[in-house]
Amino acid sequence: PWVGRAIGRIDIRKLMTAGTALIGGAFLLLSMTQNLLFVYAGGALVGAGVSMGTFMAITVIINNWFIKNNGLVMGITMSTSSLVGIVANPAVNWVIEHFGWRIAYAGMGVLILCTIPLVWIFIRMYPDQKGTIAWGEEELPEPEVQTTITHHKPMEEQKIDLRHPALLSILA
């Protein structure tokens, strides 16, 4: 939960850099591990780094940069993690077979740390930080001024249809 709050308060590049450094450093730690405690610690650091530097931050950035078709952009972006897995898993497996798991972990750590400059070059939280506007922003209609006040029923007066297909699909 603290990462979600930090995204709005801390420069996104600093947050993503810290997350990326945490992931890379964790892989370097894992390459030198001698006991199970370090494996657990490395896994916890990778998890913390992933939450800081990847999916949450990328989701917020996409929503800021793409108004039109942001669902499509989100799907394409998130599917790239699977594509990277398709390429990276056999490559890492080959490195493990030929050089050992320690070299593979150290190599992944160094490779991840090498992406930090890319974060500072390409990532911005808002389009106006790059002197542009979000994709689809120029097509937004003018907001209508609401002149009527709608009154909602209190929660105890609202009825929930327990047979509604959407509710059943969530509960299933």
Side-chain angles (χ1 to χ4, degrees):
W2 65 271
V3 175
R5 287 189 298 266
I7 286 176
R9 297 180 181 153
I10 300 172
D11 180 10
I12 198 75
R13 294 182 299 170
K14 291 179 182 176
L15 193 63
M16 291 181 76
T17 298
T20 305
L22 204 53
I23 297 167
F27 276 109
L28 290 173
L29 173 70
L30 287 167
S31 73
M32 298 179 279
T33 189
Q34 296 292 327
N35 61 41
L36 190 59
L37 181 64
F38 282 111
V39 173
Y40 291 144
L45 291 174
V46 168
V50 166
S51 72
M52 290 170 59
T54 58
F55 294 113
M56 287 182 72
I58 290 170
T59 302
V60 172
I61 291 169
I62 289 172
N63 282 322
N64 290 337
W65 277 79
F66 296 93
I67 294 172
K68 180 181 177 184
N69 295 333
N70 73 340
L72 174 66
V73 175
M74 188 82 66
I76 291 170
T77 303
M78 295 304 168
S79 66
T80 58
S81 66
S82 298
L83 294 175
V84 168
I86 290 171
V87 174
N89 285 339
V92 171
N93 189 36
W94 184 86
V95 173
I96 290 172
E97 287 178 2
H98 290 86
F99 300 102
W101 65 271
R102 291 184 187 275
I103 298 294
Y105 269 71
M108 286 190 299
V110 169
L111 187 64
I112 290 167
L113 290 172
C114 288
T115 64
I116 290 175
L118 300 176
V119 169
W120 283 94
I121 293 169
F122 294 112
I123 299 295
R124 299 293 185 276
M125 181 73 150
Y126 301 103
D128 60 2
Q129 293 173 328
K130 287 285 247 186
T132 186
I133 61 172
W135 185 38
E137 187 174 342
E138 67 278 349
E139 300 172 12
L140 287 177
E142 290 294 322
E144 296 179 17
V145 177
Q146 184 179 2
T147 57
T148 60
I149 299 174
T150 57
H151 296 284
H152 298 285
K153 294 179 184 178
M155 193 61 144
E156 57 271 358
E157 292 180 22
Q158 295 181 13
K159 298 198 183 210
I160 298 173
D161 183 8
L162 297 177
R163 296 170 295 171
H164 194 278
L167 180 62
L168 292 175
S169 68
I170 291 171
L171 296 175

